[in-house]
Amino acid sequence: MAAFPFAPHVLPLPAETPHTVCLALVGDLDYEVGDEVLHQVLHALRGGEDVRDLRLDCQDLGAVDSAGLAVLLQIHRHTSADGTGFHLDHVGPRLERLLRITGTYEYLTTPQQAAPSAGPTGFGGAAGAAGASGASGAAEEDSGTLDSGA
């Protein structure tokens, strides 16, 4: 898959513990590059051995639009379905504001702990996907606050 010329980079970072994938999101996360970022993050998760936690460092993340937010929600959904922990690190004020306005702040920033592995489920397993989509559906319902108060 060809990279976009101004695509944010998904850069690997050193992990503090084994079985953890740490990635830095660098640049804007928007409609133009969202699919590529999602692809890169999922590729990194699949490439790791017995991954139990995903940490996304947002320190160098630029602007995030609604499509970028959808990418973060999709990543969370994939990790939930697979029983992998999910963490957003170094959430800056711009991203925090977007997450609070859309009602997704707690959903995306509360550390999701890895579930004990009962065997390989793969990304998008039926049991995990049902639970994850219910949680994201609640977050998406809250997105109506974007129109009412901002």
Side-chain angles (χ1 to χ4, degrees), residues 85-139:
F86 177 85
H87 311 267
L88 285 181
D89 296 326
H90 304 112
V91 174
R94 291 171 62 187
L95 178 57
E96 180 179 345
R97 182 174 186 274
L98 173 67
L99 298 179
R100 289 196 185 278
I101 286 172
T102 59
T104 58
Y105 182 79
E106 285 79 17
Y107 180 69
L108 287 175
T109 61
T110 301
Q112 168 191 330
Q113 300 303 315
S117 180
T121 58
F123 288 101
S133 65
S136 67

Side-chain angles (χ1 to χ4, degrees), residues 70-89:
V71 168
L72 295 175
L73 290 168
Q74 288 174 322
I75 293 167
H76 188 279
R77 189 174 303 133
H78 281 285
T79 57
S80 293
D82 197 43
T84 302
F86 177 85
H87 311 267
L88 285 181
D89 296 326

Side-chain angles (χ1 to χ4, degrees), residues 8-125:
H9 299 281
V10 178
L11 303 174
L13 295 173
E16 296 176 10
T17 60
H19 311 295
T20 299
V21 171
C22 296
L23 303 170
L25 300 178
V26 181
D28 294 344
L29 180 55
D30 57 19
Y31 176 79
E32 295 282 328
V33 298
D35 288 340
E36 179 66 19
V37 169
L38 179 62
H39 172 77
Q40 290 177 10
V41 170
L42 295 181
H43 180 74
L45 283 172
R46 289 183 186 115
E49 192 166 320
D50 193 24
V51 176
R52 295 186 192 140
D53 286 300
L54 170 65
R55 300 191 78 90
L56 295 178
D57 187 301
C58 300
Q59 180 173 329
D60 295 320
L61 186 62
V64 179
D65 68 5
S66 60
L69 176 60
V71 168
L72 295 175
L73 290 168
Q74 288 174 322
I75 293 167
H76 188 279
R77 189 174 303 133
H78 281 285
T79 57
S80 293
D82 197 43
T84 302
F86 177 85
H87 311 267
L88 285 181
D89 296 326
H90 304 112
V91 174
R94 291 171 62 187
L95 178 57
E96 180 179 345
R97 182 174 186 274
L98 173 67
L99 298 179
R100 289 196 185 278
I101 286 172
T102 59
T104 58
Y105 182 79
E106 285 79 17
Y107 180 69
L108 287 175
T109 61
T110 301
Q112 168 191 330
Q113 300 303 315
S117 180
T121 58
F123 288 101

